[in-house]
Amino acid sequence: MSRKTSPSMTLEEMSAQAKQDLATGVGKSVKHESAEKQVSGEALYIDDRGEFPNQLHVYALMSPLAHATITHLDVSPCYGIDGVHTVLTAEDIPGELDIGPILPGDPLLADGKVMYVGQPVIAVAADSLENARKGAQAAIIEYSELPAALDVEQALAQELFVTDSHQQKRGDSENAIANAPHQLDGALHIGGQEHFYLETQVSSVVPTEDGGVIVYCSTQNPTEVQKLVGSVLGIPMHKVLIDMRRMGGGFGGKETQAAGPACIAAVIAVQTGRPVKFRLPRREDMMMTGKRHPFYNQYKVGFNDDGLIQGIEIIVSGNAGHSPDLSRSIVDRAMFHSDNAYFLNNATVTGHCVKTNTASNTAYRGFGGPQGMMTIEHVMDTIAYHLKKDPLDVRKINYYADNERDETHYFQKVEDNFIQDMTEELEASCEYQARRIEIAKFNAENPLLKKGIALTPVKFGISFTATFLNQAGALVTVYTDGSISLNHGGTEMGQGLNTKVAQIVAETFSVDIDTIQCTATNTEKVPNTSPTAASSGTDLNGKAAQNAALTIKQRMVDFASSHFKISPDTILFSNGIVSCGDQATMTFADFAELCWFNQISLASTGFYRTPKIYYDHDAARGRPFYYFAWGVSCSEVLIDTLTGEYKVLRVDVLHDVGASLNPAIDIGQVEGGFIQGMGWLTTEELVWNDAGQLMTSGPASYKIPAVADTPDIFNVHLVENRTNPEDTVFHSKAVGEPPFMLAISVWSAIRDAVNSVSENGEVPYLAAPATPEQVYNAIKRVRKGKRPTEFPLFEDTLATK
Ligand code: MTE
Ligand code: QUE
Ligand code: MOS
């Protein structure tokens, strides 16, 4: 694929090459920069780095109790274990103990009390991980137990919150519901999700000569790790360097929670003057760090005979765990997505961050959006079952549309809406209607096996809802041999960000991508960065890098224009060749050298901030999102009514990425996001016992999707010939998170299959995840023909607000 110019080329050859399309520019399926290294095992993760001489390894002892005061702490026995070098307790932290990202609540090590099972209490550094673990277990710690809140409904009833609640209100939902021909109410339990990145949380720290540190950290948020390492050490940020080449997956789990191990390792490194590595073993990672927020959502809806919603009240309650972390923003995003793709003219949406004695839940792909959408998708199906309509028809009539059905419940105008068209296209291409009939026939003929189908939409808002985070920086350097070094504030976690940003720079200079080296994210090269999150990595860093490249290119053009005495618009960069009117044609490398020889600066920073967006939290109004990404998916499932087991038979997806920067990578993101979402809604079940201990703390008990769970038929298409009308980088759209929510069609299809065995018009209740046990119970309930009593009515729980 790669084509290079060489000095031996003739002018004719050069101009022939210049006329060809740049094979590695934007819009091309350039392979991921690490693909070969990842397949061969050569790609380096933190734990693969060569060990430093004298390096210490850290193990953190976890709290065995969900809530307790520490009455006695004696770490002296730890030093009796061979190889143990030092033991860290809360008292040994030289600077700030709390590492809460926005609000306090996250002590680096337990400070007199423990808040959840798994909380780090002490950290032991030894010559090996095994000795550190043995050393930690030798500590003598006594606790006095306190009452623990473990049940989210109970904690909600007791109004245990980690932050203030928030409400969005449009129209008059109360009257609209009361005056509607039909009313329904209910509640939905939605489970959390373990990130299960292949590389667990890890940091490796080297102390520097002036009391600072270099931290190799697997993090989505280098700047925040830099800030917090400085803060726990009591040193300024300029003494802390964070280096992040790649993560073995992040998925939101390394946005805030990579900081803990980094800070502990840094404190030990400075105190001992030795390099320190801290990598969480899988079980410790699963118990210590937060996950996707489980939600308990309640609703009350009024609708007409067609299923058109006239008024709705939704309360979303995210289980934040013991501390705020990012929960306020996550519950906000759940609220922002309580409409999904539907116009809610009279809506009241309330969001609570419920405090329980569990690990502090955190960002996870979709950032609350999936949990917010689940309620309205549950409502769509429920309305359809009541009215005996096809759920797709109910969805369609509730869609956002023109004619005053185009504003959200937080008063953002829904622009670039083509969900109707996308739905029609997928409905036709996947033969939804014909399969609906076949499925009805299959279900009539088969007493035990039943099929279900569902087609669900996704509308996902792109931008950080905390507006100030929508900024990015980059640093581009052109060397005299024409090679280009690229650094930006984003982080590579497998999503292909570095590849896309390199394509953008390649396109800007019209050079082959092999000319460009994307270097590790480094807080000394690009400072004050936002986390790589909210799917905005390419939108923000791509623009910043483009701006940096454009600055250099402009300097080059200005120089050539005066040097050759030609008009700037006759200077063309094309396919590694620069032609300067009829004065000169040369390789990009020769041109770079010529610029340097004439004292032109060939390095530049670039910066970008997203225009147009704002959100007034007090008024609950604004335009929090620069634009929306759209998608539709249709899933067909087969369930066994005797066991509750199921299989996803076929999935069809149509997803909107604007003008794709890299179709291969985008399709990879859609497929990966879908499967991860399917895992969340089907097999990935987190189980805690009555003492608040996570019982599913490894792959044997926590079931992420395996290869065999891939749908037999999995058709994934990107919307073609459409560009983002907003001025995003090459009019592309973000892709990282939105496809995750396409998997809601799997859950909805399972519920459809359960509904097929319903007796006496009973509407099935299906909590998420729809494990075989859940499915089996749902079947039992609809067959008994009784409303499930274990799930309280809306009024009961509303009273607890
Ligand atoms: N894809 C891979 N392979 N690994 C990841 O960790 N994280 C997801 C998504 N896709 C992730 C991924 C999440 S949570 C986000 S927010 C985006 O990637 C972040 O990257 P982007 O903004 O560059 O798309
Ligand atoms: C989506 C996101 C994030 C978000 C808002 C979104 C996110 C994130 C934050 C955030 C908010 C306030 C802070 C901060 C981070 O908000 O990932 O440090 O002070 O980290 O809509 O993904
Ligand atoms: Mo993604 S949850 O915004 O890191």
Side-chain angles (χ1 to χ4, degrees):
M1 251 225 191
S2 94
R3 286 170 292 141
K4 287 209 178 73
T5 58
S6 75
S8 59
M9 280 171 98
T10 64
L11 268 180
E12 290 76 53
E13 284 168 341
M14 281 188 185
S15 54
Q17 173 164 337
K19 284 195 189 98
Q20 291 170 35
D21 205 16
L22 184 68
T24 54
V26 303
K28 303 294 183 338
S29 286
V30 178
K31 69 168 178 276
H32 191 291
E33 45 87 21
S34 292
E36 280 166 10
K37 282 176 281 184
Q38 281 169 330
V39 169
S40 66
E42 286 162 286
L44 292 185
Y45 298 88
I46 309 271
D47 207 32
D48 299 324
R49 302 180 68 90
E51 303 264 303
F52 294 104
N54 285 327
Q55 180 172 278
L56 295 169
H57 299 259
V58 180
Y59 182 85
L61 189 71
M62 302 186 291
S63 163
L65 299 172
H67 196 195
T69 50
I70 299 172
T71 52
H72 181 72
L73 177 61
D74 179 8
V75 299
S76 55
C78 308
Y79 290 98
I81 306 296
D82 265 1
V84 168
H85 189 77
T86 194
V87 183
L88 206 65
T89 68
E91 284 172 10
D92 305 317
I93 307 300
E96 187 66 49
L97 179 65
D98 203 297
I99 58 163
I102 304 169
L103 298 166
D106 298 297
L108 188 55
L109 292 166
D111 189 18
K113 64 177 177 181
V114 289
M115 299 295 288
Y116 70 98
V117 177
Q119 181 174 352
V121 179
I122 61 168
V124 175
D127 58 357
S128 73
L129 179 57
E130 206 30 56
N131 286 341
R133 186 201 298 262
K134 283 186 194 143
Q137 275 152 359
I140 299 169
I141 308 175
E142 284 161 19
Y143 299 91
S144 163
E145 270 195 83
L146 297 166
L150 295 168
D151 182 272
V152 67
E153 276 181 70
Q154 250 171 41
L156 178 65
Q158 291 171 43
E159 300 190 22
L160 299 174
F161 300 131
V162 293
T163 62
D164 295 343
S165 297
H166 182 41
Q167 189 167 73
Q168 298 164 331
K169 208 166 165 53
R170 177 193 172 92
D172 181 351
S173 53
E174 197 181 339
N175 271 313
I177 296 169
N179 297 330
H182 305 274
Q183 288 92 18
L184 276 172
D185 56 68
L188 183 64
H189 281 269
I190 302 160
Q193 188 177 21
E194 160 62 33
H195 296 89
F196 227 103
Y197 23 62
L198 290 184
E199 179 197 39
T200 55
Q201 306 280 5
V202 55
S203 277
S204 170
V205 182
V206 185
T208 60
E209 61 178 20
D210 28 51
V213 282
I214 298 171
V215 183
Y216 299 93
C217 178
S218 181
T219 173
Q220 292 172 244
N221 202 345
T223 290
E224 191 165 82
V225 174
Q226 180 193 20
K227 192 180 284 182
L228 291 171
V229 165
S231 150
V232 296
L233 283 170
I235 59 174
M237 286 170 79
H238 69 215
K239 285 207 195 303
V240 181
L241 184 150
I242 312 295
D243 178 284
M244 208 306 294
R245 171 59 186 95
R246 66 167 65 80
M247 280 163 273
F251 306 113
K254 293 172 181 170
E255 235 185 282
T256 59
Q257 305 208 1
C263 289
I264 288 174
V267 171
I268 296 171
V270 169
Q271 282 189 353
T272 61
R274 288 168 69 164
V276 176
K277 179 157 76 183
F278 188 2
R279 175 180 60 78
L280 293 183
R282 178 66 63 183
R283 177 174 165 274
E284 279 73 4
D285 191 297
M286 290 181 78
M287 293 177 70
M288 202 180 287
T289 67
K291 304 165 200 321
R292 177 184 296 285
H293 290 58
F295 268 68
Y296 171 68
N297 296 349
Q298 299 151 276
Y299 65 89
K300 188 170 185 177
V301 61
F303 53 97
N304 71 11
D305 294 341
D306 297 328
L308 185 73
I309 291 179
Q310 306 200 316
I312 191 162
E313 287 173 22
I314 296 173
I315 303 173
V316 297
S317 299
N319 182 344
H322 76 94
S323 78
D325 189 87
L326 300 173
S327 297
R328 182 66 265 157
S329 291
I330 288 162
V331 172
D332 281 354
R333 194 169 265 274
M335 297 170 68
F336 283 122
H337 289 81
S338 289
D339 58 340
N340 193 10
Y342 311 106
F343 176 59
L344 304 177
N345 199 14
N346 296 292
T348 306
V349 179
T350 311
H352 301 299
C353 303
V354 179
K355 180 174 181 165
T356 61
N357 291 100
T358 55
S360 191
N361 289 318
T362 191
Y364 196 140
R365 206 168 194 169
F367 206 75
Q371 297 97 313
M373 285 183 194
M374 282 291 284
T375 317
I376 196 74
E377 293 304 337
H378 169 87
V379 166
M380 290 295 150
D381 287 331
T382 305
I383 291 175
Y385 300 155
H386 267 273
L387 297 175
K388 309 237 177 307
K389 286 182 175 297
D390 186 324
L392 181 56
D393 293 331
V394 175
R395 288 190 161 90
K396 280 184 188 168
I397 65 159
N398 281 290
Y399 273 164
Y400 281 105
D402 301 337
N403 316 325
E404 316 204 327
R405 292 180 55 82
D406 63 350
E407 204 177 57
T408 65
H409 58 288
Y410 47 90
F411 303 93
Q412 170 158 358
K413 196 158 192 273
V414 179
E415 287 166 333
D416 186 31
N417 171 16
F418 60 118
I419 194 66
Q420 301 271 5
D421 297 347
M422 285 177 73
T423 302
E424 265 160 44
E425 190 178 328
L426 190 75
E427 185 181 348
S429 70
C430 81
E431 300 179 283
Y432 177 87
Q433 297 301 344
R435 284 159 68 206
R436 204 9 115 204
I437 294 165
E438 274 170 39
I439 287 168
K441 191 158 161 268
F442 177 93
N443 288 346
E445 288 165 358
N446 287 275
L448 302 180
L449 298 180
K450 301 288 175 183
K451 287 184 176 179
I453 190 169
L455 195 159
T456 59
V458 167
K459 162 181 136 289
F460 193 75
I462 303 299
S463 293
F464 287 97
T465 53
T467 308
F468 69 93
L469 289 172
N470 295 287
Q471 56 172 307
L475 175 66
V476 172
T477 305
V478 177
Y479 292 99
T480 52
D481 63 355
S483 68
I484 298 169
S485 166
L486 164 62
N487 201 272
H488 57 79
T491 55
E492 176 63 46
M493 57 194 98
Q495 84 278 40
L497 174 64
N498 284 357
T499 309
K500 286 182 172 181
V501 179
Q503 281 178 274
I504 289 162
V505 172
E507 184 77 30
T508 307
F509 289 117
S510 196
V511 295
D512 192 277
I513 202 159
D514 287 353
T515 318
I516 297 165
Q517 182 67 52
C518 203
T519 59
T521 311
N522 181 310
T523 51
E524 283 184 0
K525 287 191 180 166
V526 178
N528 307 329
T529 57
S530 292
T532 307
S535 304
S536 63
T538 305
D539 282 20
L540 299 175
N541 297 287
K543 272 280 193 188
Q546 187 186 27
N547 288 340
L550 285 172
T551 301
I552 298 169
K553 191 177 175 186
Q554 190 60 48
R555 287 187 206 137
M556 292 174 124
V557 167
D558 291 346
F559 153 73
S561 165
S562 81
H563 183 78
F564 293 112
K565 306 197 169 38
I566 52 175
S567 155
D569 22 283
T570 61
I571 299 158
L572 301 176
F573 291 67
S574 182
N575 227 325
I577 307 293
V578 181
S579 48
C580 303
D582 52 8
Q583 297 297 300
T585 297
M586 62 196 107
T587 61
F588 179 78
D590 288 345
F591 187 56
E593 188 164 43
L594 183 68
C595 289
W596 166 75
F597 195 74
N598 286 276
Q599 299 164 301
I600 304 301
S601 163
L602 292 176
S604 177
T605 59
F607 186 79
Y608 176 73
R609 75 174 72 86
T610 311
K612 296 185 181 177
I613 51 177
Y614 66 99
Y615 182 66
D616 179 342
H617 217 266
D618 294 330
R621 269 177 183 263
R623 175 181 181 169
F625 305 118
Y626 190 29
Y627 61 89
F628 296 104
W630 303 88
V632 277
S633 72
C634 179
S635 296
E636 180 178 339
V637 302
L638 178 71
I639 66 170
D640 180 336
T641 57
L642 291 183
T643 62
E645 287 167 294
Y646 48 80
K647 170 102 188 110
V648 182
L649 299 175
R650 173 171 172 177
V651 172
D652 292 81
V653 166
L654 182 60
H655 192 77
D656 159 41
V657 295
S660 176
L661 290 167
N662 184 323
I665 284 177
D666 286 348
I667 286 176
Q669 283 293 297
V670 176
E671 291 175 347
F674 184 94
I675 296 291
Q676 194 169 41
M678 184 181 85
W680 170 53
L681 292 173
T682 56
T683 57
E684 293 184 42
E685 187 179 35
L686 293 162
V687 178
W688 287 267
N689 68 11
D690 292 343
Q693 287 167 320
L694 181 66
M695 305 310 287
T696 47
S697 57
S701 51
Y702 184 78
K703 301 310 285 179
I704 60 171
V707 171
D709 296 312
T710 311
D712 292 343
I713 305 172
F714 194 15
N715 299 319
V716 175
H717 291 284
L718 303 177
V719 176
E720 291 189 23
N721 303 318
R722 244 198 116 88
T723 64
N724 189 341
E726 296 296 344
D727 180 22
T728 53
V729 65
F730 293 98
H731 294 278
S732 60
K733 282 191 181 183
V735 70
E737 295 168 289
F740 183 92
M741 287 145 277
L742 294 169
I744 294 174
S745 64
V746 173
W747 175 77
S748 178
I750 294 173
R751 194 164 170 226
D752 184 61
V754 173
N755 189 49
S756 74
V757 299
S758 158
E759 293 164 11
N760 310 328
E762 277 305 310
V763 169
Y765 173 85
L766 188 63
T771 57
E773 291 90 333
Q774 270 290 333
V775 174
Y776 177 73
N777 285 333
I779 292 166
K780 256 192 0 191
R781 284 192 298 261
V782 290
R783 282 201 161 140
K784 268 198 301 199
K786 289 194 202 112
R787 181 171 177 135
T789 47
E790 57 266 54
F791 302 105
L793 298 181
F794 183 72
E795 283 81 1
D796 305 340
T797 44
L798 191 67
T800 63
K801 205 197 117 193

